[in-house]
Amino acid sequence: MSADIAAIALSAKLAGLTTLLLLLFGTPVAWWLARSRSRLRHVVGAIVTLPLVLPPAVLGFYLLVLMGPQGPVGQLTQSLGLGLLPFTFAGLVVGSVIYSMPFVVQPLQQAFVAMGEQPLQAAATLRASPWDAFFTVALPLARPGFITAAVLGFAHTVGEFGVVLMIGGNIPGKTQVLSMAIYNHVEALEYANAHWLAGGMLVFSFVVLLVLYSRGWNRTS
């Protein structure tokens, strides 16, 4: 049971940190995708959406290669004295940020698109700088999109399995998250423990969707 509690705590820590990083770095990406007319936006949009259609094992494999001792990311982290990221919590965070990116960027992009140009044009007529208009007009108007993005990003990260298995392995207390704990119980035929964790995930997922739908997510997405 203590190992299960540790796995739940690690999953919550991973999901919270991943969601925070995605909101920080995903907001400028979503803003650019919503407002840019560059042809590159289609390429960037496809890259952001790629984790939605790519099998997690494939994404995890290539991240493992890139962050391995012969990969460019691995060589960079070693040269910086950071060591290798695979099979560490930091590696899990990197993989989770990439894997959950569309679940945060797309709701933000939709919120910025739905906002339209008029509020920003009105701010410009009042001599607000682009930065002022962004922080005092755009961000408050896009608040429902931020809430949706945060909830989806957190919930999706909690349920990760394939990417976590490829990058983090299954190290108790270090990289063993909730989905891996359920997998271990099933492999050991400990179905009662697996039910306890899986049932909790089922209730958590239902509550997340109930909150989103009660806020009109189905109308805005």
Side-chain angles (χ1 to χ4, degrees), residues 37 49 78 80 84 87 96 125 136 149 156 165 174 209:
R37 296 295 176 264
T49 310
Q78 288 184 102
L80 295 174
L84 294 173
F87 309 110
S96 298
T125 60
T136 61
H156 186 255
L165 180 62
K174 188 175 181 181
L209 290 176

Side-chain angles (χ1 to χ4, degrees), residues 29-99:
V29 176
W31 178 256
W32 183 80
L33 287 173
R35 298 182 58 80
S36 175
R37 296 295 176 264
S38 170
R39 292 182 180 180
L40 286 177
R41 75 182 189 279
H42 300 301
V43 178
V44 176
I47 293 173
V48 169
T49 310
L50 195 58
L52 283 178
V53 297
L54 199 62
V58 175
L59 178 61
F61 169 72
Y62 282 115
L63 288 176
L64 185 64
V65 171
L66 289 172
M67 295 191 295
Q70 305 303 322
V73 177
Q75 293 181 355
L76 175 63
T77 56
Q78 288 184 102
S79 66
L80 295 174
L82 301 176
L84 294 173
L85 295 180
F87 309 110
T88 67
F89 181 75
L92 283 184
V93 173
V94 173
S96 298
V97 165
I98 295 173
Y99 186 49

